């Protein structure tokens, strides 16, 4: 059984149709890259899968782990193992990162009928997670994302992912605002969290991140539909030829560049 | 002769002023104030200072003046209101009257003196002759009524150069015997030159009775002195509370006020300070949280009377249910108060469609070389932040509480007394479930 099966998905934001029939199937153990030009709908797809109420699903279906994903509120999706790494992580002043992470971890545990962990147990648990994204324990005492640099915010997203151990992680433009060192740390973290029973969807505009998180499949989103799918070499081809190559409809021969 | 507004109070007033043990000068102050209250009457919404707050729920009740000692409050019942702190210098007043058996003032440090007002009239007349000098009532009906009925309260005197090691806590608690009663606590806080102290006033209740607290606190901050002055209004959910603080500041002094208002069916807090010496500064912060049908009103007034003074003001409000919040922040800058540096903000978070707030910054500037800014906002829970928390598996109710807390955190973190800050943080997290 596929981990997630998206069929003919349509979605609008402020009455404007953004997704116009997406079909995508992801199996456990796979990494899929979703690429596309600005406005193609790739971030919308990520938000819709995570359940952002700002987007309205107007058609199609999403089956996740045998469940009707679209019927679940965002918190239940998360409790069932969906994780969205935000392109723009939200700052929450006054709420410490430690409190936030433990609250999220306990909510997911609670949903699975497991006991909540106390702050001491959680501190032990956090040690290896912090090492994974090369973060200092002092980051836990700071307010969630407040005053974090772009790189720190993205590392904090991967830290959350490490804590929640999702079955399907969706990375939305994670490379934006990262220098090469931060990019490497973030990608490293994602790779280390890869297991045979989970999957990752990497939403990205640039091929750069895919040098570090190597996809099994690449899909090119154009105008709300998947225009082309292929293996990891498709990303390199796109980098080389630009999105016009796909959007113009007629593939350009290799020699024409 | 007192006018019609005073009529329901005449009998209690006559009884109070017939007590022969009270000095004549106090009785004459009471009489003058009662006369003034009769003329003023309770304010109406035509009065600009009360435009958004109708006090008719207060005026429509008849109250018994709680002149005698009453009530039965145990130390254990005070525990929820003492911030888990030990060793503070505490004066407890039950239903308006001093309760020495619940108070901890046996071991005051050098330079700190406290009295209950009822005995201070005769014990230290030279100290309490400041009463009525700082809080005027020409246009303040509630202060006039308080002055007419002033009977008990805390008198705190900090000698010059004294740094008080721990907070002084004045606790005004009501129990069920306060039902349909009225209290008019009157406090006096005198901070000497270069002294430093923290005074906390708490208005709390062990009951859900209807009663009226009408408190006035007069504050004098001496040259170069610093006073942290926190007011915690956590009255019974059905009570009425009017509390006025009037401070006067000498040169280079710093007055730091924090007002918390979460209790009472209807409350009005006035925090007024006059920067009456060059180089002085005032920091007025506050947090109000209301739900149900609560009405919570704050009026602040900062008078810049001298040059080179600063004022900082941050008030935040969280309103749920059908509650109504009011904030009116006045800043007057006198013609001679050049180089005034003033900043005022008021941010409000509405948690329901039916809650509302009226916010009114009011700056009147008569000097030409000043820097004064103000800003007010009214908003709702940020949907992006709410989705962010939910996307981490956090249930909707907890997510909303965390974001409410985050909203209030900015002003709570200004509280320097750790026990108070932590208690208020916890209270904020648990307030809106």
């Amino acid at each position: 059984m596929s981990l997630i099966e998206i069929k003919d998905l349509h979605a609008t934001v402020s009455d404007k149709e953004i997704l116009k029939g997406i079909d995508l199937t992801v199996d456990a153990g796979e990494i899929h890259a979703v690429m596309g030009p600005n406005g193609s709908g790739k971030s919308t797809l990520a938000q819709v899968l995570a359940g952002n109420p700002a987007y309205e699903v107007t058609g199609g279906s999403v089956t996740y782990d045998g469940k009707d994903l679209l019927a679940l509120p965002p918190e239940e999706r998360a409790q069932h193992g969906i994780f969205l790494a935000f392109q723009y992580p939200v700052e929450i002043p006054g709420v410490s990162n430690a409190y936030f992470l433990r609250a999220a971890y306990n909510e997911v545990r609670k949903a699975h009928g497991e006991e909540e962990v106390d702050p001491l147990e959680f501190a032990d648990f956090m040690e290896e997670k912090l090492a994974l994204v090369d973060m200092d324990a002092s980051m836990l005492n700071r307010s969630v994302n407040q005053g974090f640099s772009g790189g720190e915010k993205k590392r904090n997203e991967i830290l959350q992912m490490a804590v929640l151990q999702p079955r399907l992680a969706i990375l939305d433009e994670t490379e934006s605002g990262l220098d090469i060192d931060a990019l490497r740390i973030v990608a490293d973290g994602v790779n280390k969290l890869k297991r045979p029973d989970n999957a990752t969807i990497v939403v990205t505009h640039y091929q750069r991140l895919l040098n570090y998180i190597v996809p099994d499949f690449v899909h090119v989103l154009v105008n709300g539909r998947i225009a082309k799918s292929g293996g990891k070499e498709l990303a390199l081809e796109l980098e080389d030829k630009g999105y016009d190559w796909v959007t113009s409809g007629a593939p350009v021969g290799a020699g024409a560049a | 002769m007192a006018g019609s507004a005073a009529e329901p109070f005449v009998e209690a007033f006559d009884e109070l002023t017939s007590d022969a043990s009270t000095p004549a000068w106090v009785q004459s102050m009471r009489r003058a104030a009662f006369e003034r209250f009769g003329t003023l009457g309770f304010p109406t919404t035509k009065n600009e200072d009360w435009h958004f707050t109708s006090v008719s729920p207060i005026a429509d009740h008849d109250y018994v003046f709680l002149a005698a000692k009453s009530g039965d409050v145990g130390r254990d019942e005070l525990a929820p209101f003492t911030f888990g702190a030990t060793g503070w210098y505490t004066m407890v007043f039950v239903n308006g009257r001093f309760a020495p058996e619940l108070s901890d003032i046996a071991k005051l440090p050098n330079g700190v003196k406290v009295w209950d007002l009822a005995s201070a009239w005769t014990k230290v007349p030279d100290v309490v002759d400041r009463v009525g000098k700082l809080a005027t009532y020409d246009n303040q009906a509630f202060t006039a009524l308080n002055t007419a009925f002033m009977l008990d309260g805390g008198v705190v005197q900090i000698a010059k150069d004294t740094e008080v090691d721990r907070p002084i806590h004045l606790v005004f608690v009501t129990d069920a015997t306060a039902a349909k009663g009225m209290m008019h606590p009157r406090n006096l806080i005198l901070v000497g030159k270069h002294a430093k102290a923290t005074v906390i006033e708490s208005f709390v209740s062990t009951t859900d009775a209807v009663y009226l607290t009408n408190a006035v606190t007069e504050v004098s901050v001496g040259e170069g002195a610093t006073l942290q002055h926190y007011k915690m209004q956590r009255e019974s959910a059905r009570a009425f509370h009017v509390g006025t603080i009037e401070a006067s500041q000498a040169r280079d002094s710093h007055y730091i006020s924090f007002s918390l208002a979460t209790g009472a069916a209807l409350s009005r807090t006035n925090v007024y300070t006059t920067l009456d010496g060059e180089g002085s500064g005032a920091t007025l912060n506050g947090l109000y949280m209301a739900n149900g049908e609560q009405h919570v009103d704050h009026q602040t007034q900062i008078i810049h009377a001298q040059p080179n003074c600063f004022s900082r003001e941050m008030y935040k409000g969280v309103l749920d249910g059908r509650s109504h919040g009011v904030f009116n922040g006045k800043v007057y800058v006198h013609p001679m108060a050049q180089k005034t540096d003033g900043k005022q903000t008021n941010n409000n978070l509405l948690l329901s469609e039916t809650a509302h707030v009226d916010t009114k910054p009011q700056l009147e500037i008569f000097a030409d070389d000043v820097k004064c800014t103000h800003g007010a906002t009214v908003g709702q829970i940020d949907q992006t932040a709410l989705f962010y928390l939910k996307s981490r598996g956090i249930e909707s109710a907890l997510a909303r509480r965390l974001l409410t807390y985050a909203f209030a955190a900015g002003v709570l973190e200004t509280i320097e007394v750790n026990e108070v800050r932590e208690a208020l943080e916890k209270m904020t997290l648990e307030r809106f479930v």
Side-chain angles (χ1 to χ4, degrees), chain B residues 313-327:
Chain B
E313 194 169 10
M314 176 173 24
Y315 268 79
K316 287 181 185 270
V318 183
L319 302 156
D320 199 358
R322 298 172 54 80
S323 66
H324 183 184
V326 179
F327 176 80

Side-chain angles (χ1 to χ4, degrees), chain A residues 87-201:
Chain A
Q87 181 177 6
Y88 303 109
V90 177
E91 297 186 5
I92 307 174
V95 177
S96 78
N97 220 8
Y99 184 96
F100 166 63
L101 287 163
R102 190 165 61 87
Y105 184 61
N106 278 332
E107 292 272 289
V108 172
R109 286 181 69 88
K110 229 165 40 182
H112 288 95
E114 293 165 323
E115 276 198 29
E116 298 185 35
V117 299
D118 65 36
L120 275 178
E121 291 173 80
F122 190 69
D124 288 344
F125 170 76
M126 284 310 294
E127 251 178 63
E128 54 161 320
K129 307 291 177 195
L130 285 162
L132 195 76
V133 282
D134 195 20
M135 270 169 88
D136 192 86
S138 66
M139 298 289 282
L140 295 176
N141 298 325
R142 290 169 62 183
S143 292
V144 178
N145 294 325
Q146 200 185 23
F148 283 27
S149 69
E152 285 172 335
K153 281 183 181 170
K154 295 299 170 71
R155 269 147 69 184
N156 206 27
E157 292 293 288
I158 305 307
L159 181 67
Q160 292 165 42
M161 180 174 153
V163 168
L164 298 177
Q165 301 165 60
R167 294 200 58 203
L168 177 64
I170 304 155
L171 311 181
D172 187 9
E173 308 260 4
T174 292
E175 81 283 9
S176 67
L178 291 189
D179 62 33
I180 196 72
D181 292 329
L183 182 80
R184 213 174 273 142
I185 291 167
V186 164
D188 235 34
V190 172
N191 288 331
K192 283 181 190 151
L193 292 169
K194 190 176 180 234
R195 297 189 317 248
D197 65 339
N198 66 18
T200 308
I201 297 175

